Amino acid sequence: MPNTSIMTFNILSILPVLILAGFGMMVLVVDVLSSRKMGEKNFLAYLSLIGVVIAAFLSKNFTGTTLFSFYGAYTIDNYSLFFQFVFLLCAGLTILISKNYVQRENINYGEYYTLILFSTIGMILMASGADLLNIFIGLEIMSISIYILVGMKRTRLTSNEASLKYFLLGAFSTGFLLYGIALVYGATGTISLRQIAVFIAGKGGVLDPLLLAGMGLIIVGIGFKIASAPFHAWVPDVYEGAPTAITAFMAVGPKAAGFAAFLRIFFIAFGQVHQDWEKIIWILAVLTMTTGNIIALIQTNIKRMLAYSSIAHAGYLLIALVAANNMSVSAILFYLLAYLFMNIGAFAIVIVISQKEDSFLKISDFSGLAYKHPRLAIAMTLFLLSMAGIPPTAGFVGKFYIFSSAIKSGYVLLAIIGVINSVIAVFYYLRVTVAMYMRGPEREFQPLTLSPFIFVAIIISIIGTIQLGIFPAKVLEIAQRSILLLR
Amino acid sequence: MITLTHYLVLSAILFSIGVVGVLIRRNAIVIFMCIELMLNAVNLSFVAFAHYLHSMEGQMFVFFSMTVAAAEATVGLAIIIAIFRNKETVNVDDMNIMKW
Amino acid sequence: MEPYLFYVMAATSVVAALYLIFEKNPVFCALYLVFSFINIAVLYVLLEAQFIAAVQVIVYTGAIMVLFLFVIMLLMVDVKKKQKDDLPFQRIPAMVMGFVLLVVMGLAIKSKLFQGREGEYTSAKVESIGHTQLIGKLLFTDYLLPFEMTSILLFVAVIGAIILAKRKV
Amino acid sequence: MLNLVALILLFPLIGSAMNGLFGRRLRKESIGYIACGAIGLSFFISVLVFIGLLLLPPEERIFEKHLFSWIQSGSFNAAVGFQVDPLSSLMILIVTGVGFLIHIYSMGYMHDDKGYHRYFSYLNLFTFSMLLLVLSNNFLLMFVGWEAVGLCSYLLIGFWFEKKSASDAAKKAFVVNRVGDFGFALGIMLIFLTFHSIDFTEVFNAASHGEFAIGNITITLITLLLFMGAAGKSAQIPLYTWLPDAMEGPTPVSALIHAATMVTAGVYMIARCNVLYMLSPFTMTVVASIGATTALFAASIGLMQNDIKRVLAYSTISQLGYMFLACGVGAFTAGIFHLMTHAFFKALLFLGSGSVIHALSGEQDMRKMGGLKNHIPITYKTFLIGTVAIAGIPPFAGFFSKDEILLEAFVRGNVIYWSIGAFAAFLTAFYMFRLLFMTFHGESRVDPHVKEHLHESPRNMTIPLIILAGLSIIGGFWGLPGASALNHFLSPVFGGHGHNEMHGVEAGAHHGIGLPSLMMVVSTLIAIGGIWLAYQMYVKKQELPKKLAERFALPYRILYNKYYVDEIYDAIFVNPVKKISVQLWKKVDAMMIDGSVNGVARFVTGTSNIFRFLQTGYVRNYAFYIVVGCIFILILTTWLNK
């Protein structure tokens, strides 16, 4: 990638990635060497958690620096560091909610944790890649790891099916993404995002069909990963079939990574030709929100409902993408962090409530939870209210911020559609709350196995959801500082 | 004289054939082969662009996309084998437990 | 000479691709795909990408497609048995959509107003350095990061193959 | 003393948290003491704050307490801060004062309920949210309180969720309120867009300093959106349907939330934004006409209801309509005055009806009451005071406030507003005395089993009744025309609109001193007329109602069925949606599985139903969507941009 001002090699810049990779392999080796039975291998979770924590500390050291290492292929700036933090937090929380789950479901392999760590590497690469090649490789590392994780529960048909569906469609959409990159490359002669921007600026911001087609195909490819309609169809099936802890992971991680790449590509490379893509994203945003919310209304399986809700959330995030001002970037960063807490928290509670072989996942299985386990019910209500965007939770601040950014750029209609959608969304979140508080139990609740791990994960999620709702100032400030280099 | 356009059109034709194949075949392995065809079509575009633009980036990209294809093939075929063990079929129309 | 070669290779690869999507027997499908890939490899040579052509033949057709064949043989799917087809009505729309896609792409390709920036690696320059040397050099300089990252990618793939396809874990 | 304002909110929050988290382990007495103590302390501090405010000279009576900055980004600022001014100080007194009495009452009323701690936790949380709503110094924080009171209301309506009707009612309340909240949220965004601030002081300053002409279209839009929120929360046409159903909640809840405090939030909000509303005559007309229509409409439904709480619910809607009528003609003081007196006597009436229900072991149907006045004398006497107050007989509280509204409607509005209001007042007097007569007078129609257990309520229930009865008697003098302490007290908030803001009394002076007096006489006569009619129909000639019902069968049926509004809503909105969703999922399912006959014909139906087919579970379908989406995007990018 020629002509980047800072041409360094600087292996230290990818230290968090190296740590994650190192710990990933270490988990595998330790797993093989140990003679214990599968159910007893607690140390795998500990080890991978340590890896995540170390990586987080190392990446924290970079705050404030801006660095283009590996000959300009890898960017470190506040933006990518914010995403690194989100990814590592996501991985850490997933490991926390996984530990007992994998033992219960008999999939406590070292590979499980290794793949979580490796897919985190892929996400980091997507957020940090300064050219389309690195973003592409990162996306593939992430996706392939998750294809495997989804199919990890080999003996269960739903898991198999989810894995196959995700894999086939993922590979298919990769084809489109790759074609898009090829056309962009052909039209500009480079794959570096900054060089593309320079080239477009040189042409006075007028694009020819070849480049526009390439841009459209990239939207398809990344739109698939972030579950935007009409590329969302895989989401409910795959979320339902995947092991629940992985569902939590893939509802947050790949979506955040997809948005990281989306923002980088469309704000840096295609930033000057905003008018050429805003209409498409506008339509996609409306379509995504509406589809997600409307179909979610009639779901009976909680994982499927959360899947559709995650589609809707992608739609809200796309609103901010359309707005394309500095406020919208920080809104996306903030919303993703909020979404991370509320989503993983909700899935953690789904894991606690469900029983072996992922049974008891109907919404009606939550009936009367408030009487048997009032604290769990309160926590779940908090997460659902946050997803519905009811104050004073993180989701409210995030939504408000996103809609304000849209209004600020003059997309009033889009904001109105967004608000209408968030009104619709309340109903299906409410159904769970109603079941928990306003119905008698329909089944015997087993005594809870609330291990310290999942307990910590839920507590972190609660704190995050409330903190971001009541005292969001600090995080918002960080989010605002994370956008400076983007445009 | 063969121009860039020739190569690009050929690439588009192969890509579209691959897409149609994905949509109409039921055998998961064949669907996957059609996806491989799509990737190859894209690679052809890359190499053609690289040649006519006198730039190596396209060729390097192909190098990596082949690696990715290899990795995808490994995992994809493993998934297909896993599902075959459970279900004795590779017909994607049979994989329809989860819907609506 | 070159135009003829292009047209022949293009035509055969398209025909092979069409056979791929209409052939019933997966083994033949794989062979058609191999055939198509080899044709593309020849086109790579025409485009002065000898290294890529070699990789195409050795890795793609030699390794990946053989893996496909192995899996097909391993699963021994009965081709005679009538396969369930729940979506016969998707065939024609699918082809129409494929055609529309081709037309849209074709229009985008045809109407190119400008082309990308010319790079520094003209044929003569590549010749003087040596094609494979150049790729090697680039891999360990500009493309070092993706190159290293592909190691993780391949590692993931190996893990996946083991964990998903091994008989007993 | 004003610095203590944050404590007012803190105590209920602590009380709620203590009862919510540890309530199951506490004894009942402690739960009650914690909850009442929290509100009591909060009331005490409210009084201190109020006194502190009174000690300031009138023009300086505004105090802002900034706690911390909540959302801050670039030009957008939202703080967590409280604003104490005459309006909000009055509101906190009402909320904590009436709330305190209702808390005490609840200790008796809910004594045997197994959800005792849950109830008090919600109730405290509600008080906290309501205080947040009235004390906030910016729109966004107000919205937080707004949503939170909605949530608490939802929880409390559905408190007895074992009854299906209760949980349905809760859901209905939530849904209808969401529609209103949606308008409110949009209104806030538009305010931010227009004023670049959501702080009350800044927005109102900008608005009052002549940057916006009267009738400005943006301001009109903003005020209409805000009014949409207000109509949802304060149960105005067409969003009123949730309030009567909300009576499924415990009676003290109806008294606190659905009579005295939460439902008046809409009136409060409009009064708070009076500067904006004064800039938009169109919105004012809308507010006034919807208020007047609601007042009449709800009162006419109230005529024929047989459930004691439902009568009161429709009466509440009707009285809220009065308040909006007052706001709509620009008589904000009159609106707030009526809000205050209404809080007293309507809380009293609800608590009284609760006492009746308590005495009758849960019976709510007035046809099964009658002759109770000797069995539960304290309840009867206090209830009588409340009824007289709402009917508008001098010198009780309701008379002055209602009279002032009618006067203002006549002076500032037109004779139509006045006549609607006056007619509604007539109906109010009628149905309230109908209620009183049916419940307490005449032959006893009480179930013999129940009759054995007839008893007056315990002291902790009757004392709040007595206090509220006292307030209902004297509450009106504060706003007495002529003396009008309230007018002067509130003028810093509502003043400053220039000549546009003429107080009714002064305006009345233009028509000569005779007009207010004349109005008073007229409205008293109207009230007496209503009472007389009720007396004729329900005490003297009890067969009369039945005869009338037979003779005027059609109007009777329409009124009895509440104008069939629920049925119409069901037919227009609910059923089609249900139908569509059933169609969508059941039929598509059948079609997909049964019908895989042959290609093209299916494709035609397939494409026409493309949105119904979405989640078929087939990978190839999903891939097809991707291709279609891709082509769509390509066409859009490459062609349509040119």
Side-chain angles (χ1 to χ4, degrees):
Chain A
M1 277 117 276
N3 300 337
T4 313
S5 50
I6 312 161
M7 299 278 255
T8 45
F9 169 67
N10 201 350
I11 196 153
L12 288 179
S13 60
I14 59 163
L15 209 52
V17 171
L18 294 179
I19 291 288
L20 286 178
F23 270 86
M25 293 178 209
M26 204 143 71
V27 169
L28 280 184
V29 174
V30 172
D31 184 24
V32 172
L33 292 181
S34 115
S35 55
R36 291 204 204 173
K37 275 198 225 122
M38 194 163 75
E40 296 163 0
K41 291 176 180 168
N42 286 338
F43 49 84
L44 299 176
Y46 289 117
L47 200 56
S48 37
L49 210 53
I50 293 170
V52 170
V53 172
I54 294 178
F57 269 104
L58 290 174
S59 74
K60 187 173 172 288
N61 278 340
F62 289 108
T63 22
T65 52
T66 305
L67 204 67
F68 302 97
S69 62
F70 284 91
Y71 307 96
Y74 187 84
T75 320
I76 286 190
D77 51 18
N78 281 344
Y79 173 80
S80 65
L81 287 174
F82 192 96
F83 273 109
Q84 269 187 31
F85 179 67
V86 171
F87 301 146
L88 289 170
L89 198 59
C90 175
L93 288 175
T94 309
I95 292 167
L96 285 176
I97 63 174
S98 293
K99 198 203 126 226
N100 288 65
Y101 180 78
V102 290
Q103 286 169 355
R104 189 179 85 197
E105 299 289 325
N106 255 333
I107 46 171
N108 192 14
Y109 313 124
E111 286 86 345
Y112 180 91
Y113 297 106
T114 307
L115 287 172
I116 289 182
L117 296 184
F118 280 5
S119 75
T120 311
I121 294 178
M123 295 171 197
I124 292 178
L125 203 56
M126 278 175 84
S128 290
D131 59 39
L132 293 169
L133 177 56
N134 279 297
I135 290 175
F136 177 67
I137 300 267
L139 186 130
E140 283 302 317
I141 295 176
M142 174 187 84
S143 312
I144 293 180
S145 309
I146 293 178
Y147 300 151
I148 304 165
L149 284 170
V150 170
M152 203 77 165
K153 181 73 187 146
R154 304 193 311 173
T155 49
R156 205 171 59 216
L157 274 177
T158 48
S159 179
N160 290 151
E161 184 181 317
S163 174
L164 184 75
K165 279 179 176 170
Y166 190 28
F167 167 73
L168 283 180
L169 293 171
F172 188 55
S173 74
T174 301
F176 287 97
L177 176 66
L178 205 56
Y179 205 4
I181 295 176
L183 295 185
V184 170
Y185 164 64
T188 62
T190 175
I191 52 171
S192 153
L193 299 179
R194 279 176 194 283
Q195 298 297 325
I196 293 172
V198 170
F199 182 84
I200 292 174
K203 295 283 174 185
V206 183
L207 299 192
D208 71 329
L210 199 60
L211 186 49
L212 288 172
M215 205 165 73
L217 288 167
I218 290 179
I219 294 178
V220 175
I222 298 183
F224 177 85
K225 291 290 169 218
I226 60 169
S228 135
F231 317 114
H232 69 285
W234 58 278
V235 172
D237 297 359
V238 175
Y239 281 24
E240 188 187 339
T244 312
I246 294 307
T247 311
F249 184 61
M250 69 192 295
V252 180
K255 205 184 284 284
F259 270 100
F262 223 150
L263 285 177
R264 239 189 224 286
I265 295 174
F266 280 83
F267 284 14
I268 293 187
F270 302 128
Q272 296 134 326
V273 287
H274 176 243
Q275 76 280 359
D276 283 327
W277 50 266
E278 45 121 31
K279 280 190 218 86
I280 304 162
I281 309 279
W282 197 102
I283 294 170
L284 288 192
V286 172
L287 211 57
T288 309
M289 287 186 290
T290 318
T291 333
N293 278 328
I294 289 189
I295 309 186
L297 286 173
I298 55 144
Q299 296 303 317
T300 50
N301 181 307
I302 184 108
K303 273 166 87 178
R304 265 186 111 71
M305 190 211 85
L306 288 172
Y308 282 109
S309 106
S310 95
I311 296 173
H313 285 291
Y316 302 135
L317 287 160
L318 284 174
I319 292 182
L321 190 67
V322 177
N325 49 35
N326 282 340
M327 190 170 171
S328 69
V329 182
S330 52
I332 289 178
L333 297 180
F334 184 86
Y335 198 87
L336 280 171
L337 194 61
Y339 177 68
L340 164 84
F341 287 122
M342 58 206 190
N343 201 61
I344 292 201
F347 274 110
I349 288 170
V350 171
I351 288 178
V352 175
I353 299 303
S354 65
Q355 297 296 321
K356 200 162 168 52
E357 290 296 319
D358 270 350
S359 47
F360 295 112
L361 285 173
K362 293 247 169 292
I363 291 179
S364 56
D365 291 326
F366 280 73
S367 300
L369 184 69
Y371 305 98
K372 294 288 169 188
H373 307 296
R375 291 189 187 83
L376 270 188
I378 288 178
M380 187 69 177
T381 311
L382 176 74
F383 298 134
L384 292 173
L385 289 182
S386 179
M387 286 194 192
I390 289 176
T393 52
F396 168 72
V397 179
K399 277 215 180 73
F400 188 83
Y401 212 44
I402 281 185
F403 296 148
S404 312
S405 80
I407 286 187
K408 199 177 172 192
S409 288
Y411 296 94
V412 179
L413 181 60
L414 190 58
I416 291 176
I417 297 174
V419 176
I420 293 176
N421 262 292
S422 60
V423 171
I424 298 175
V426 175
F427 299 134
Y428 57 86
Y429 295 121
L430 198 66
R431 280 180 55 210
V432 185
T433 324
V434 167
M436 289 192 300
Y437 280 87
M438 307 212 166
R439 268 195 217 119
E442 287 177 9
R443 62 174 179 126
E444 284 293 304
F445 283 98
Q446 255 92 354
L448 282 188
T449 46
L450 198 65
S451 77
F453 271 74
I454 203 157
F455 181 72
V456 169
I458 293 175
I459 291 292
I460 292 177
S461 306
I462 291 174
I463 293 174
T465 311
I466 294 178
Q467 158 90 20
L468 289 184
I470 299 180
F471 307 106
K474 186 130 200 290
V475 178
L476 275 180
E477 200 190 308
I478 296 172
Q480 278 153 30
R481 264 192 273 124
S482 306
I483 58 161
L484 294 175
L485 271 167
L486 206 58
R487 293 197 85 175
Chain B
M1 184 59 194
I2 302 300
T3 61
L4 176 58
T5 315
H6 287 84
Y7 283 102
L8 293 184
V9 169
L10 173 62
S11 152
I13 292 173
L14 290 176
F15 189 85
S16 305
I17 292 175
V19 169
V20 173
V22 172
L23 297 184
I24 65 174
R25 296 303 301 248
R26 279 153 288 152
N27 186 323
I29 304 179
V30 178
I31 290 182
F32 192 22
M33 284 196 261
C34 294
I35 294 174
E36 293 292 339
L37 180 65
M38 287 163 63
L39 295 184
N40 255 275
V42 177
N43 286 352
L44 183 60
S45 282
F46 265 120
V47 176
F49 277 129
H51 178 71
Y52 285 94
L53 293 176
H54 305 303
S55 120
M56 285 302 281
E57 279 170 315
Q59 288 197 29
M60 300 307 296
F61 212 113
V62 170
F63 178 85
F64 287 108
S65 89
M66 281 182 182
T67 321
V68 166
E72 269 187 359
T74 324
V75 173
L77 292 173
I79 291 173
I80 292 172
I81 289 175
I83 212 165
F84 187 79
R85 289 229 174 92
N86 270 343
K87 229 179 163 167
E88 296 281 314
T89 176
V90 289
N91 185 343
V92 290
D93 282 6
D94 288 329
M95 287 143 207
N96 193 22
I97 314 172
M98 293 173 292
K99 58 187 162 193
W100 313 119
Chain C
M1 173 62 192
E2 197 196 316
Y4 296 112
L5 198 53
F6 172 80
Y7 283 120
V8 171
M9 289 300 148
T12 42
S13 65
V14 170
V15 171
L18 286 173
Y19 266 104
L20 160 69
I21 63 168
F22 291 116
E23 169 60 48
K24 288 256 168 359
N25 189 333
V27 179
F28 290 153
C29 286
L31 292 177
Y32 284 123
L33 188 59
V34 169
F35 189 54
S36 179
F37 282 177
I38 291 177
N39 283 324
I40 293 175
V42 175
L43 293 177
Y44 289 163
V45 176
L46 281 183
L47 289 167
E48 293 174 340
Q50 295 86 351
F51 180 76
I52 299 294
V55 174
Q56 170 90 354
V57 174
I58 297 167
V59 177
Y60 234 123
T61 48
I64 301 181
M65 289 318 297
V66 170
L67 183 64
F68 271 91
L69 280 172
F70 270 145
V71 172
I72 295 169
M73 299 298 190
L74 179 73
L75 302 186
M76 284 297 238
V77 184
D78 188 2
V79 286
K80 298 270 162 30
K81 205 177 85 188
K82 185 93 177 77
Q83 292 283 323
K84 185 174 147 203
D85 187 358
D86 287 346
L87 309 167
F89 45 84
Q90 196 180 290
R91 283 179 83 86
I92 291 165
M95 291 178 204
V96 172
M97 281 301 156
F99 186 70
V100 173
L101 183 67
L102 179 60
V103 171
V104 176
M105 293 307 302
L107 287 172
I109 290 164
K110 199 179 124 272
S111 66
K112 61 174 190 299
L113 303 175
F114 57 86
Q115 259 183 28
R117 202 186 44 170
E118 298 256 324
E120 48 182 329
Y121 297 104
T122 54
S123 304
K125 191 173 177 193
V126 173
E127 205 92 324
S128 69
I129 306 175
H131 189 241
T132 314
Q133 282 93 322
L134 182 57
I135 288 181
K137 188 175 153 269
L138 285 174
L139 270 186
F140 286 99
T141 54
D142 283 355
Y143 294 88
L144 184 61
L145 181 69
F147 185 70
E148 295 295 340
M149 287 301 157
T150 33
S151 63
I152 294 178
L153 182 68
L154 292 172
F155 190 49
V156 167
V158 173
I159 296 175
I162 292 171
I163 198 112
L164 290 174
K166 214 165 78 173
R167 233 167 239 294
K168 207 166 167 247
V169 186
Chain D
M1 276 186 278
L2 288 171
N3 272 312
L4 297 173
V5 63
L7 288 179
I8 301 177
L9 287 111
L10 187 65
F11 288 121
L13 189 62
I14 292 175
S16 166
M18 277 172 76
N19 280 335
L21 293 176
F22 312 110
R24 283 209 296 188
R25 288 184 217 132
L26 295 174
R27 283 182 307 127
K28 276 202 167 167
E29 290 78 36
S30 339
I31 293 171
Y33 288 139
I34 289 171
C36 296
I39 306 296
L41 281 172
S42 181
F43 176 62
F44 177 67
I45 295 173
S46 305
V47 172
L48 288 185
V49 168
F50 184 71
I51 294 171
L53 198 70
L54 280 183
L55 291 178
L56 295 173
E59 59 276 13
E60 286 171 25
R61 279 181 194 161
I62 181 159
F63 172 78
E64 285 202 44
K65 172 91 181 163
H66 178 90
L67 277 193
F68 58 89
S69 90
W70 181 32
I71 304 178
Q72 191 171 36
S73 76
S75 57
F76 186 83
N77 261 305
V80 173
F82 306 125
Q83 175 174 350
V84 183
D85 64 357
L87 181 58
S88 60
S89 67
L90 194 64
M91 288 300 287
I92 55 176
L93 280 183
I94 296 172
V95 172
T96 53
V98 176
F100 180 56
L101 295 175
I102 292 173
H103 270 72
I104 293 176
Y105 178 91
S106 299
M107 279 170 73
Y109 191 83
M110 299 297 287
H111 192 262
D112 301 322
D113 200 281
K114 62 181 164 47
Y116 199 67
H117 68 281
R118 204 158 50 92
Y119 174 83
F120 276 108
S121 174
Y122 293 162
L123 212 57
N124 270 358
L125 190 63
F126 168 79
T127 315
F128 166 77
S129 318
M130 189 67 204
L131 289 167
L132 189 65
L133 195 162
V134 295
L135 277 173
S136 62
N137 71 348
N138 62 63
F139 282 100
L140 200 61
L141 193 62
M142 188 182 190
F143 185 66
V144 173
W146 193 267
E147 292 269 297
V149 287
L151 201 66
C152 295
S153 155
Y154 162 73
L155 287 171
L156 283 164
I157 295 170
F159 185 74
W160 287 319
F161 54 84
E162 293 90 347
K163 280 197 294 183
K164 187 170 184 310
S165 56
S167 61
D168 283 353
K171 237 186 285 178
K172 189 172 181 183
F174 202 76
V175 169
V176 175
N177 266 303
R178 286 303 288 182
V179 177
D181 294 352
F182 159 70
F184 193 6
L186 281 184
I188 295 176
M189 286 181 190
L190 206 53
I191 286 174
F192 173 60
L193 203 64
T194 318
F195 295 96
H196 307 290
S197 169
I198 51 164
D199 195 84
F200 285 148
T201 328
E202 288 174 27
V203 172
F204 297 148
N205 273 340
S208 60
H209 282 96
E211 284 173 45
F212 300 91
I214 288 177
N216 181 305
I217 189 82
T218 321
I219 302 285
T220 305
L221 198 58
I222 289 175
T223 44
L224 281 176
L225 285 170
L226 292 182
F227 178 61
M228 191 171 154
K233 195 112 295 186
S234 295
Q236 295 297 291
I237 290 174
L239 300 177
Y240 70 91
T241 51
W242 65 272
L243 186 57
D245 288 9
M247 297 303 131
E248 295 290 344
T251 307
V253 169
S254 312
L256 179 62
I257 299 184
H258 306 120
T261 56
M262 184 188 86
V263 288
T264 60
V267 182
Y268 167 76
M269 190 245 276
I270 289 183
R272 173 59 77 202
C273 304
N274 62 78
V275 181
L276 296 179
Y277 277 86
M278 290 313 276
L279 285 175
S280 171
F282 175 72
T283 316
M284 292 293 267
T285 316
V286 172
V287 173
S289 8
I290 287 193
T293 321
T294 311
L296 183 63
F297 183 77
S300 67
I301 298 179
L303 296 178
M304 295 304 155
Q305 295 303 307
N306 286 323
D307 183 315
I308 185 166
K309 283 179 72 183
R310 279 186 172 258
V311 178
L312 292 175
Y314 281 108
S315 145
T316 305
I317 299 174
S318 167
Q319 299 300 312
L320 289 166
Y322 273 111
M323 298 176 209
F324 278 103
L325 173 61
C327 292
V329 296
F332 297 105
T333 314
I336 294 295
F337 182 29
H338 195 56
L339 188 161
M340 184 182 79
T341 55
H342 176 255
F344 297 149
F345 59 69
K346 193 49 74 61
L348 168 64
L349 288 170
F350 265 114
L351 295 184
S353 75
S355 180
V356 170
I357 295 166
H358 191 74
L360 294 174
S361 318
E363 184 56 63
Q364 299 195 9
D365 193 332
M366 295 193 295
R367 284 168 298 193
K368 293 182 185 158
M369 296 179 186
L372 292 176
K373 72 177 169 184
N374 296 324
H375 297 284
I376 42 176
I378 303 177
T379 308
Y380 170 66
K381 281 172 199 148
T382 51
F383 204 93
L384 180 64
I385 292 170
T387 314
V388 173
I390 195 176
I393 301 292
F396 292 86
F399 167 74
F400 294 109
S401 54
K402 197 182 280 182
D403 178 61
E404 190 170 337
I405 289 178
L406 289 177
L407 175 67
E408 300 276 8
F410 186 75
V411 174
R412 297 175 188 235
N414 51 44
V415 73
I416 299 175
Y417 289 154
W418 178 84
S419 42
I420 293 178
F423 188 55
F426 171 74
L427 294 181
T428 307
F430 174 76
Y431 68 71
M432 282 312 298
F433 272 86
R434 168 178 175 265
L435 172 81
L436 186 80
F437 294 141
M438 278 181 84
T439 310
F440 294 99
H441 293 257
E443 296 284 304
S444 173
R445 300 177 295 276
V446 181
D447 197 315
H449 289 291
V450 178
K451 206 166 182 179
E452 290 164 22
H453 306 293
L454 261 183
H455 55 282
E456 180 60 280
S457 302
R459 282 250 300 283
N460 51 10
M461 284 169 72
T462 48
I463 289 174
L465 288 178
I466 294 166
I467 297 176
L468 282 171
L471 286 171
S472 303
I473 297 172
I474 59 164
F477 291 107
W478 205 25
L480 204 62
S484 198
L486 193 65
N487 252 335
H488 291 297
F489 181 62
L490 287 175
S491 64
V493 184
F494 299 130
H497 303 314
H499 67 283
N500 218 336
E501 171 68 20
M502 273 190 305
H503 286 291
V505 188
E506 294 150 30
H510 293 283
H511 294 74
I513 197 71
L515 187 68
S517 330
L518 182 67
M519 282 289 172
M520 276 184 174
V521 174
V522 170
S523 51
T524 312
L525 287 179
I526 287 171
I528 292 173
I531 297 168
W532 176 80
L533 191 63
Y535 181 71
Q536 289 296 323
M537 279 175 71
Y538 292 93
V539 180
K540 275 192 95 174
K541 304 175 188 159
Q542 295 198 19
E543 72 289 346
L544 199 63
K546 221 170 246 163
K547 267 191 196 160
L548 280 177
E550 276 159 23
R551 174 170 289 181
F552 300 104
L554 184 66
Y556 176 79
R557 209 152 6 101
I558 290 175
L559 288 178
Y560 183 73
N561 287 309
K562 302 163 251 171
Y563 292 100
Y564 296 99
V565 168
D566 280 337
E567 285 78 3
I568 292 169
Y569 276 12
D570 272 0
I572 297 177
F573 301 112
V574 181
N575 286 339
V577 171
K578 263 192 205 157
K579 243 181 228 161
I580 287 169
S581 61
V582 168
Q583 293 265 335
L584 230 61
W585 301 109
K586 292 288 152 57
K587 290 206 172 164
V588 170
D589 195 7
M591 255 154 91
M592 285 307 299
I593 291 164
D594 305 341
S596 39
V597 198
N598 63 24
V600 186
R602 271 272 167 263
F603 174 61
V604 177
T605 46
T607 36
S608 68
N609 289 325
I610 196 137
F611 274 96
R612 303 178 172 190
F613 277 93
L614 279 169
Q615 292 294 325
T616 54
Y618 291 105
V619 177
R620 297 194 292 147
N621 277 151
Y622 297 174
F624 191 73
Y625 306 149
I626 295 180
V627 175
V628 172
C630 171
I631 289 171
F632 170 72
I633 287 178
L634 283 176
I635 290 175
L636 216 63
T637 40
T638 50
W639 291 357
L640 296 191
N641 272 327
K642 289 301 132 195

